[in-house]
Amino acid sequence: MASNNPPSSDSSDSDSLGSTTRSILSLVLFIYLFVMWVVVSSSLGGNHASLAQDKLLPLFQPLTETLNLDVRASPYNLYSGNPEDYEHFFRIELTNPAGQVQTYQVPGPMLGSGLKDPYRYERLAKIVAMQAEISEDRIPAEICMGIGEYFLRQAGGGKVSLQCIRRRPQPMQLDIDGQQYSPDPRDASYEDIKYRATVLVDSEGAFQLIKQMADEHVAPVE
Amino acid sequence: MLGAYLTRFSDTIGNGWNQFWFKRESPQTISILRIVVGLVALIYALSFTSELALWFSDGGILPADRTYRLTGADDPTVSVYYWSLFYLVHTPSALYVLHAVGLLSILSFTLGFQTRVSAVIAAIFVISYAERAPMLAGLLEPLLCPVLLYMCLAPSGAYYSIDAWLRKRSGNDQPVADSYAAHIAVRLIQLHVVAFYLMMGLSKLGGISWWNGNAMWWLMAQPDHRLVDLTFLRGEKLRLLVFAWTHLVVLFELVFGLLIWFRIWRPLLTVLAIFHWLGLGLVTGHWEFAILMSGLSLAFAPWQTLAEPVEEAVQQSIAEQPLSRPSPETAEASV
């Protein structure tokens, strides 16, 4: 894209850079901007990139992943109306070795109270819920195991029951066609349990996760 | 005729491209951006402090082997290019030592001390935080990382920095030379910011809640995300504000991406960006991303546009003074 033509009055400065240098820089910039354009535009339709983008993105992956340029995993539209935009969290029931039961929420004071930690635990809860919905067990199990292990170590054993909960946002009007909605946005009526598992220490001292329930797709009732 | 058109076309595009990218520019703008980006990077890195070991040490929530399994890096058939210095250490003490080095490098970059070196180290650390557990990343990381990389290209410590103070103290009062690298870095930041604005605006157009005006309500109705409770806006007389706000968010993001290239709009859009991101930051909880987006508006140097009419007015008033006689230098310059 670099021009070798007689300079206009404004381009005398750019000409002092040298034609070869400008050409090399232009090529690098052009390729980089093309990569960025493909990456950024592929995020516009949520997870629905075109076939051309799907072919190109793996080619650019060594650059975009290495330099953390990929934008597709982040919700830049802020709200799309899909359940993945709702709040997600874990509810933990810890049964300590003495048999006492305590309930915690993650993120919460016990885990996830740092500056941006609530957001990070919420991301994990969101991944668990989304993966459970497509009947993918491995990733929810890995994440719940990590959280369960933490609570078991704190309690010195026992058993942890985890629930991954999605909270639907409260509608603007609390009375829609005769249906009443709770004025408390954290009311249990807004909650859906998407995944449930128990983490415990087996007789050999190893941590075990037992899945109890995962939300699954249900065919619409006609 | 076609050949003449193609020649003229390639000349025009080529000259435009050269004028856009290849100019010398004072490193003042990139130095101001260094402070903004450095502060946000510092906040970002500090946000890992309280639970760093809980997250990443062996026995934590996401030790390295679990992260590998979650990203697919444990599968030899899957290509995964995530890397992080924090994959190399596994104990709480080692993690915190590395974290301290990361914080110091980012602080050094923000203050402009040994900026050429500290910029590179700070970028390596910020990417390391972001890529240690990529599934935790939010809105901030994909913008902060490339902007920091652009900073590495330019003399971002030339002004408003400890380096500048040390230079002055050693008796070097010469202004810093204009730089091609500073100009290219600022241009890359401008393009990246505009791409983000347009991406955010266009992606909203794909969601019905941004068309029917409800999207801002759904954001402010999420009790754990929001920093302030604005749900009183559901009132009969106030809800119009929610709908109007939703439409203004989309409009502003699209308008910013287009009109910021016109110098006369820059001061106004920069001020509006502060209000735009303040509102979104408070409602969504993405306040550090909001700070970065507001701050990066400065890449368009809105103060230069504000200064232009004043300079012109001063020159005009000098020209209109009947008794003023231009000095020989001024007369020569005006010619």
Side-chain angles (χ1 to χ4, degrees), chain B residues 15 34 50 116 118 148 223 250 279 311 316 326 334:
Chain B
N15 281 332
R34 185 202 76 240
S50 63
R116 279 296 197 176
S118 63
L148 263 168
V250 181
E311 286 171 4
Q316 204 170 355
S334 66

Side-chain angles (χ1 to χ4, degrees), chain A residues 172-173, chain B residues 233-244:
Chain A
M172 192 183 285
Q173 292 169 289
Chain B
L233 293 173
R234 66 169 14 126
E236 198 69 47
K237 292 177 181 171
L238 294 174
R239 66 180 56 159
L240 199 62
L241 291 175
V242 178
F243 299 127

